[in-house]
Amino acid sequence: MRRHSSVQHVTESFQSQGIMKLLGARIARLRRGLVEVSAPNRCELSQQDGFVHAGVLATLLDTAGGYAVLSLLPRGSRVLAVEFKINFTKPAIGDTVRATGKVRKLGRRLAICELEAKMRDRGKWVSCAWGSQTVYCIRPDGSND
Amino acid sequence: MRRHSSVQHVTESFQSQGIMKLLGARIARLRRGLVEVSAPNRCELSQQDGFVHAGVLATLLDTAGGYAVLSLLPRGSRVLAVEFKINFTKPAIGDTVRATGKVRKLGRRLAICELEAKMRDRGKWVSCAWGSQTVYCIRPDGSND
Amino acid sequence: MRRHSSVQHVTESFQSQGIMKLLGARIARLRRGLVEVSAPNRCELSQQDGFVHAGVLATLLDTAGGYAVLSLLPRGSRVLAVEFKINFTKPAIGDTVRATGKVRKLGRRLAICELEAKMRDRGKWVSCAWGSQTVYCIRPDGSND
Amino acid sequence: MRRHSSVQHVTESFQSQGIMKLLGARIARLRRGLVEVSAPNRCELSQQDGFVHAGVLATLLDTAGGYAVLSLLPRGSRVLAVEFKINFTKPAIGDTVRATGKVRKLGRRLAICELEAKMRDRGKWVSCAWGSQTVYCIRPDGSND
């Protein structure tokens, strides 16, 4: 019987991402098909107006989506971003960023995720980015074929 | 006569982006309608396989595209990312990342950019990400209207 | 007091789209911020494998999203597609196509919609396309400014 | 030796698309990795302002990109749209639409195309839509694996 990627598997992979450490990000929630990544806001994450940079949101979202997919795959699987598209709907202001990736469709080799980033601003979570992502799944042991 | 955003304007704005400093990025080329941003690769930019994280590419690309637009706007203008979509075409391996933003269409309030990221791998530049971006232009003094 | 686009306004605009007639499409549901467009499947809508062509789905989705936005704008407003991005998640097989556009964010000049197309296949609605759209809003009487 | 999809293969597949006939479209140019599809403008292709509907442009572009990929694949291959994202940069006005799909990256299972639509308006070709597409390649005989 194939077992799916354990929490441990996803967590270990997350910790091996240098960029997550650089951004101060951590996994805030992890269940099968849904991952949330959060980071405290600080001026090192900002663009020129002091908002969190769109690319930082994209980075957290890409990671959240990728691991949401990985959480549904057999152990030993790998995931790669094919593409993502993100709309930025509000300036990213607040003390904490939270990026959520949710699997909408899991195929043999391709998965589609919905991505959404929120900021906690004065205690309230406000959506500031929303989009979609295609993820390529590399399953172990030739199980792709 | 309206003057366009000077090199100095773009450069100062770039330096105010905390995330560019965090990523070790600098403007490598700046002409009207085209900006290149580059950064040395290091393990702090990596995802789990050691490649440069897709989100880092997106961050540099978003900045390059935004400033490519700003370079065409009157002084005192501001730019905001509406959305971007990026395809990741090769693993980002090499010693240097270079992200290019080029304006394809400049309208009164919206501009469209082409984005492309390359990695220098053993002396050769290899394309690893390519996409498009919509930028909202806030022109000064009610000149939008 | 500004009144919003009436049902009549959206319906009249829909009927002026030559392509909706060509595709045999009609508005199946219309409420503020959400529009559904449907069309019976027939071989004139097909791609080479007999599925409904991705572009036909995109056409119905773009119209649904545009009118979902228009339904929230003051009378006399117009809408234009800035961009859309659609993932095709299943082959579009069945007797009826239904495309839904739902406004997720309405700004002064830009609105963001979520788009989803479903096919009715042997009595069951199956999702086959999903994506996002940016719409430019032209409000009447300089009310944009 | 594997032969690539012949002109004949692409042409036959094109002719089996019901929607191309409905839109009055034909292949205007076909070489390996690049396909142009064109259609005369007429009011059946219009949206509410009389411009060619964004979805019609998307339909022609999706077909052009798909066949640009197919033209590079071994005989007996099939292609499916994974996703596309298109920016609409000008109102589509003129007597003829021309949609070009060009392969930017061909992988084993995924290909990325650049898409651009132009309108011939008073004798001059004007770009009105531009974007990207991901195509899934199904190669014959288990040659995918």
Side-chain angles (χ1 to χ4, degrees):
Chain A
M1 200 197 86
R2 273 207 189 284
R3 283 179 300 174
H4 291 87
S5 287
S6 62
V7 169
Q8 197 187 332
H9 182 183
V10 169
T11 308
E12 283 173 9
S13 178
F14 184 90
Q15 285 166 351
S16 71
Q17 291 202 341
I19 187 65
M20 289 300 114
K21 185 176 284 184
L22 191 68
L23 298 179
R26 63 182 188 84
I27 294 180
R29 191 176 172 203
L30 190 166
R31 56 178 175 84
R32 294 194 61 218
L34 187 148
V35 169
E36 288 183 3
V37 174
S38 72
N41 192 5
R42 54 193 171 112
C43 58
E44 284 84 357
L45 309 186
S46 71
Q47 41 82 287
Q48 69 283 354
D49 299 307
F51 312 149
V52 177
H53 194 286
V56 171
L57 302 178
T59 303
L60 301 177
L61 287 167
D62 179 61
T63 286
Y67 287 128
V69 174
L70 190 62
S71 74
L72 295 174
L73 296 179
R75 245 190 240 207
S77 298
R78 289 168 57 217
V79 290
L80 285 170
V82 173
E83 57 81 26
F84 51 68
K85 189 259 193 172
I86 302 171
N87 276 84
F88 301 93
T89 51
K90 288 224 183 217
I93 297 168
D95 55 61
T96 309
V97 198
R98 191 172 65 194
T100 305
K102 192 167 64 174
V103 178
R104 280 186 71 99
K105 166 77 195 301
L106 179 66
R108 194 93 196 107
R109 293 191 186 91
L110 293 179
I112 313 297
C113 291
E114 179 167 0
L115 307 178
E116 181 168 20
K118 297 187 176 182
M119 294 291 300
R120 190 175 62 191
D121 188 22
R122 286 163 296 180
K124 203 181 150 191
W125 290 99
V126 179
S127 183
C128 54
W130 174 72
S132 58
Q133 177 194 33
T134 306
V135 174
Y136 195 82
C137 309
I138 303 169
R139 293 165 186 258
D141 308 319
S143 75
N144 249 13
D145 305 321
Chain B
M1 199 197 84
R2 276 211 184 280
R3 284 179 300 174
H4 291 87
S5 287
S6 62
V7 169
Q8 196 187 334
H9 182 183
V10 169
T11 307
E12 282 173 9
S13 177
F14 183 90
Q15 285 166 351
S16 70
Q17 291 201 341
I19 187 67
M20 288 300 114
K21 187 177 280 184
L22 191 68
L23 298 178
R26 65 183 186 84
I27 294 180
R29 191 177 173 202
L30 191 166
R31 57 179 175 84
R32 295 193 59 220
L34 186 149
V35 169
E36 288 183 5
V37 174
S38 72
N41 192 5
R42 53 194 172 108
C43 58
E44 283 85 356
L45 308 187
S46 71
Q47 40 82 286
Q48 69 284 354
D49 298 308
F51 311 149
V52 177
H53 194 286
V56 171
L57 301 178
T59 304
L60 300 178
L61 287 168
D62 178 61
T63 286
Y67 286 129
V69 174
L70 190 62
S71 75
L72 295 174
L73 295 179
R75 244 191 241 207
S77 298
R78 290 167 57 216
V79 290
L80 285 171
V82 173
E83 58 80 27
F84 52 67
K85 189 260 193 171
I86 302 171
N87 276 84
F88 301 94
T89 51
K90 287 225 183 218
I93 298 168
D95 55 60
T96 310
V97 198
R98 191 172 67 194
T100 305
K102 191 166 65 174
V103 179
R104 280 186 73 99
K105 167 78 194 303
L106 179 66
R108 193 92 196 109
R109 293 194 187 88
L110 293 178
I112 313 299
C113 291
E114 179 167 0
L115 307 177
E116 182 168 20
K118 296 187 176 182
M119 293 293 299
R120 189 175 62 191
D121 188 22
R122 285 162 296 180
K124 203 181 150 192
W125 290 99
V126 179
S127 184
C128 54
W130 174 71
S132 58
Q133 178 194 32
T134 306
V135 174
Y136 195 82
C137 309
I138 303 169
R139 293 164 187 258
D141 308 320
S143 75
N144 249 12
D145 304 320
Chain C
M1 201 198 83
R2 274 209 185 284
R3 284 180 299 175
H4 290 88
S5 288
S6 63
V7 169
Q8 197 187 332
H9 182 182
V10 170
T11 308
E12 283 173 10
S13 178
F14 184 91
Q15 286 166 350
S16 71
Q17 292 202 341
I19 186 67
M20 289 299 115
K21 186 176 282 184
L22 191 69
L23 298 178
R26 64 181 188 87
I27 293 181
R29 189 177 175 204
L30 190 165
R31 56 178 174 85
R32 294 195 60 219
L34 187 147
V35 168
E36 288 183 4
V37 174
S38 71
N41 193 5
R42 55 194 171 109
C43 58
E44 284 84 356
L45 308 188
S46 71
Q47 40 84 287
Q48 69 283 354
D49 298 308
F51 312 148
V52 177
H53 194 286
V56 171
L57 302 178
T59 303
L60 301 177
L61 287 168
D62 179 60
T63 286
Y67 287 129
V69 174
L70 191 62
S71 75
L72 295 175
L73 295 179
R75 247 191 238 208
S77 298
R78 291 168 56 218
V79 289
L80 285 171
V82 173
E83 57 82 28
F84 52 67
K85 188 259 192 172
I86 301 170
N87 276 83
F88 301 93
T89 51
K90 287 224 184 220
I93 298 167
D95 55 61
T96 310
V97 197
R98 189 173 67 193
T100 305
K102 191 166 65 172
V103 179
R104 280 186 72 98
K105 166 78 195 298
L106 179 66
R108 195 91 195 108
R109 293 191 186 90
L110 294 178
I112 313 297
C113 290
E114 178 166 0
L115 307 177
E116 182 166 19
K118 296 187 177 182
M119 294 291 301
R120 190 175 60 191
D121 187 23
R122 286 162 295 180
K124 203 181 149 191
W125 289 100
V126 179
S127 183
C128 54
W130 174 72
S132 58
Q133 178 194 33
T134 306
V135 174
Y136 196 82
C137 309
I138 303 170
R139 294 164 187 258
D141 308 318
S143 76
N144 249 10
D145 304 321
Chain D
M1 199 196 83
R2 277 216 181 278
R3 282 178 303 174
H4 291 87
S5 287
S6 62
V7 169
Q8 195 187 333
H9 182 184
V10 170
T11 308
E12 283 173 10
S13 178
F14 183 91
Q15 285 165 351
S16 71
Q17 291 202 340
I19 187 67
M20 290 300 115
K21 186 176 283 183
L22 190 68
L23 298 178
R26 64 181 187 85
I27 293 180
R29 189 176 174 204
L30 191 165
R31 57 178 173 84
R32 296 195 57 220
L34 186 147
V35 169
E36 288 183 4
V37 174
S38 72
N41 193 4
R42 53 193 173 111
C43 58
E44 284 84 357
L45 308 187
S46 71
Q47 39 83 285
Q48 70 283 356
D49 299 308
F51 312 149
V52 177
H53 194 285
V56 172
L57 301 178
T59 303
L60 301 177
L61 286 168
D62 179 60
T63 286
Y67 286 128
V69 174
L70 191 63
S71 75
L72 296 175
L73 295 179
R75 246 190 239 208
S77 298
R78 291 168 55 218
V79 290
L80 285 171
V82 173
E83 56 82 27
F84 53 66
K85 189 259 192 171
I86 302 171
N87 276 83
F88 301 93
T89 50
K90 288 221 183 223
I93 299 167
D95 55 60
T96 310
V97 198
R98 189 173 67 193
T100 306
K102 191 167 66 173
V103 179
R104 280 186 72 97
K105 165 78 195 302
L106 179 66
R108 194 93 195 107
R109 294 192 186 90
L110 293 179
I112 314 297
C113 291
E114 179 167 359
L115 307 177
E116 182 168 19
K118 296 186 177 184
M119 293 293 300
R120 189 175 60 191
D121 188 22
R122 285 162 296 181
K124 201 181 151 191
W125 289 99
V126 178
S127 184
C128 54
W130 174 71
S132 57
Q133 178 194 34
T134 305
V135 174
Y136 195 82
C137 309
I138 302 169
R139 294 164 186 258
D141 308 319
S143 75
N144 250 12
D145 304 320

